Amino acid sequence: MHEFVPPQRLLLGPGPSMVHPRVLQAMSVPLLGHLDPAFLAVMNDIQTLLRQVFATTNRFTIAISGTGSAGMEASIVNLVEPGDAVVVGVNGVFGTRLATVVERCGGKAIRVEAPWGQIIEPDAIEAALQRSGPVKAVALVHAETSTGAWQPIDAIGRFCRNHNALFIVDAVTSLGGVPVEVDEWGIDVCYSGTQKCLSCPPGLAPFTMSERALATIKQRRTPCQSWYLDMGLIADYWAEGSRAYHHTAPISMLYALREALRLVEEEGLSARFARHQLNSAALVAGLMALGLAPLPPVGHRLPMLTCVTVPTHIDEAAVRSQLLHTFGIEIGGGLGPLKGKVWRIGLMGESCAEANVLTLLNALEEIGIRSGWVSTPGVALQAAARTYSRIH
Ligand SMILES: *Cc1c(COP(=O)(O)O)cnc(C)c1O
């Protein structure tokens, strides 16, 4: 076999996103032992930087070894014991996955459903809490990557407090792209992934937990069914002063995350959020000019993930294939009931740039002209350019 050289790609799908060269470089420096004091300092830096992006003072703020789904699994498997009821918002793939994990832990998932593309109304969560008797937790997806819906979160922590339930939030796609206010919104467990708006390769799940959630874990009647994701054991590795071996930390991934978080810090969170807003506004203007309308209603559209309905006269899969093979651009197709019906365009982290928006719109126009569904060349670029000139 010969050396693998990946083809050039512009990653504008639902993740992974483009990675800054500084992050790739960080992954190629020599290893340290996972208990080396120099490496423990790297872990401390990551904890400090993660507390900033999560907007929390939580002592327990770490990076779990594993992708975003490991963060999801850790949050459920540590808190939910057999028989526990959990209210889960289900309006896409990731809410569905949360409910599945709850049931695999022997819990009872009380699904509060909404059509794919819509948000879960906060009042529906409160109503479910009122009629359900004792509930261990409420679990919601902040940024539903399968539909592009932006879930309102800020009021729900209060409902959870009133009903003595913990509040679990999936911030895999939202963290680093829109505000995630763990302390202010009363979130008890929040997890994310590295490969979306943090623009780091997949492999770690940033994770933070309140003292209330930690106390709940300490009072478990049964041991956590997962040894690998047992946060009680993992706490002993991350906590300063104990640093007990649990599993070998993925050293190079943690180097990468430290560098990716340094880039976030250098840009500043509010500038980063504004960049996501601006580029998504230009993208949506361009897509609308091509007759491609976002699925979620105005006001509930994620800036980092735009899910548009593809009209039936456009060959959805053929366009994605042309984008990839002719232009080297990756976008995502639909999942589950949206398969073949939507495109999911990600502008996450490093991928979120004016040049990338214009490159994609230009490629779509060119494909549309060749296939006959674009008749006025330049409409999408003009609409995007107008957005940029209005705001710049
Ligand atoms: C991507 C994603 C996940 C899962 O992350 P993986 O890194 O694929 O394991 C979970 N929740 C949401 C909202 C996601 O977008």
Side-chain angles (χ1 to χ4, degrees):
M1 278 188 214
H2 36 75
E3 188 189 358
F4 174 68
V5 181
Q8 278 206 11
R9 293 287 188 250
L10 178 56
L11 299 174
L12 300 181
S17 56
M18 301 300 281
V19 172
H20 194 283
R22 266 172 52 189
V23 174
L24 295 175
Q25 219 155 31
M27 294 180 80
S28 64
V29 302
L31 296 192
L32 292 167
H34 62 277
L35 295 172
D36 187 313
F39 184 71
L40 299 179
V42 168
M43 292 169 64
N44 288 346
D45 293 343
I46 288 172
Q47 291 189 283
T48 302
L49 292 166
L50 280 181
R51 287 186 191 107
Q52 287 169 21
V53 296
F54 276 123
T56 185
T57 56
N58 284 346
R59 184 166 51 99
F60 193 98
T61 303
I62 67 163
I64 291 176
S65 309
T67 64
S69 305
M72 180 188 287
E73 184 120 23
S75 61
I76 302 297
V77 86
N78 281 277
L79 290 178
V80 178
E81 294 189 69
D84 286 345
V86 180
V87 170
V88 186
V90 178
N91 55 348
V93 166
F94 296 103
T96 305
R97 190 178 291 180
L98 265 168
T100 305
V101 179
V102 167
E103 286 166 347
R104 286 198 180 198
C105 291
K108 180 171 164 240
I110 300 168
R111 291 173 173 77
V112 178
E113 299 190 61
W116 287 38
Q118 306 290 311
I119 57 152
I120 313 280
E121 290 298 335
D123 289 349
I125 298 287
E126 194 180 26
L129 282 166
Q130 268 158 0
R131 65 169 184 264
S132 303
V135 163
K136 189 70 165 282
V138 171
L140 280 179
V141 178
H142 191 204
E144 185 40 92
T145 321
S146 61
T147 68
W150 187 355
Q151 176 64 40
I153 290 286
D154 52 332
I156 293 167
R158 190 162 37 82
F159 302 156
C160 293
R161 283 291 188 284
N162 293 344
H163 292 269
N164 200 26
L166 295 165
F167 188 23
I168 300 170
V169 172
D170 175 318
V172 175
T173 285
S174 52
L175 194 71
V178 293
V180 176
E181 297 279 345
V182 167
D183 288 357
E184 193 173 324
W185 296 345
I187 299 171
D188 292 293
V189 180
C190 193
Y191 59 88
S192 189
T194 43
Q195 81 274 29
K196 304 207 178 167
C197 290
L198 298 178
S199 272
C200 186
L204 292 171
F207 186 93
T208 187
M209 201 157 42
S210 68
E211 294 299 326
R212 232 163 54 113
L214 281 167
T216 305
I217 290 179
K218 287 217 178 74
Q219 289 156 14
R220 285 184 65 106
R221 307 179 297 273
T222 53
C224 175
Q225 76 185 54
S226 168
W227 179 87
Y228 193 71
L229 294 175
D230 183 334
M231 291 300 125
L233 300 177
I234 301 226
D236 287 339
Y237 176 49
W238 283 82
E240 220 153 345
S242 64
R243 304 290 191 186
Y245 165 73
H246 177 260
H247 66 273
T248 311
I251 307 294
S252 305
M253 280 310 307
L254 287 158
Y255 291 166
L257 178 57
R258 183 180 183 280
E259 193 59 23
L261 291 170
R262 250 163 49 83
L263 285 160
V264 173
E265 188 189 37
E266 281 170 26
E267 179 174 20
L269 282 173
S270 55
R272 197 172 177 91
F273 301 152
R275 174 164 61 84
H276 283 82
Q277 284 293 345
L278 170 62
N279 288 310
S280 87
L283 174 70
V284 170
L287 293 169
M288 297 280 273
L290 294 176
L292 299 162
L295 179 66
V298 176
H300 299 302
R301 295 173 179 170
L302 289 169
M304 73 288 283
L305 193 284
T306 298
C307 179
V308 288
T309 308
V310 183
T312 46
H313 63 273
I314 298 177
D315 185 340
E316 181 280 309
V319 173
R320 269 190 297 123
S321 167
Q322 277 171 289
L323 280 173
L324 190 68
H325 295 110
T326 311
F327 298 90
I329 301 174
E330 176 178 281
I331 65 168
L335 301 174
L338 297 179
K339 189 171 170 12
K341 298 193 176 134
V342 299
W343 288 325
R344 293 182 302 141
I345 302 166
L347 293 175
M348 301 181 176
E350 288 295 310
S351 297
C352 182
E354 180 171 340
N356 296 344
V357 170
L358 299 177
T359 300
L360 173 66
L361 291 174
N362 183 60
L364 279 173
E365 276 198 2
E366 140 93 321
I367 293 168
I369 289 164
R370 277 194 271 159
S371 323
W373 49 267
V374 170
S375 48
T376 324
V379 281
L381 290 173
Q382 275 183 39
R386 270 197 300 276
T387 306
Y388 285 119
S389 54
R390 205 166 46 235
I391 299 174
H392 274 325

